[in-house]
Amino acid sequence: MRISYRSNLDGIGVEQLSEHFFDGWPNPPSQATFLRLLEQSYAAELAVDDETGKVIGFIQAISDGVLSAYIPLLEVVPEFQGKGIGTTLTERMLKRLQGLYMIDLLCDTETQPFYEKQGMRRASGMMVRHYSNQNGTTYL
């Protein structure tokens, strides 16, 4: 298995996006919506399986480009988890955003130790979730 990492979407279309992302989501986005969310991100880092050409992991950031960034999604296709891909993607994104004052994310309690290993600290936060909008078609 050989994996390449990239910081751009050049040559990435819906056919390169694995259908195995958003595992366990009750209302996941379509491949087209998934591509759109990557395209409209401030920054995205991708892990690509060189054998198949498929994107098997990604992390995205949204930002004002001045002081703050938020990392809403880090996903690795289930069959590739536990191989350091999420760690590499996170390291690449944090390095890319290092000139900003704050980089925030919300995550489930069970994933906090992963982010602590990346140098992040626990904090409290607030959130609203509209699960009926989870597939991303509301603003098409």
Side-chain angles (χ1 to χ4, degrees), residues 81-99:
Q81 292 175 1
K83 301 179 185 318
I85 297 168
T87 297
T88 300
L89 288 169
T90 303
E91 288 170 350
R92 289 172 61 94
M93 184 59 77
L94 291 176
K95 183 176 180 182
R96 198 165 163 185
L97 301 174
Q98 69 186 352

Side-chain angles (χ1 to χ4, degrees), residues 55-80:
V55 176
I56 56 162
F58 76 94
I59 189 170
Q60 69 164 155
I62 53 178
S63 176
D64 57 20
V66 179
L67 291 178
S68 62
Y70 176 71
I71 298 174
L73 295 170
L74 166 64
E75 295 261 342
V76 176
V77 171
E79 70 183 89
F80 290 93

Side-chain angles (χ1 to χ4, degrees), residues 5 43 86:
Y5 294 91

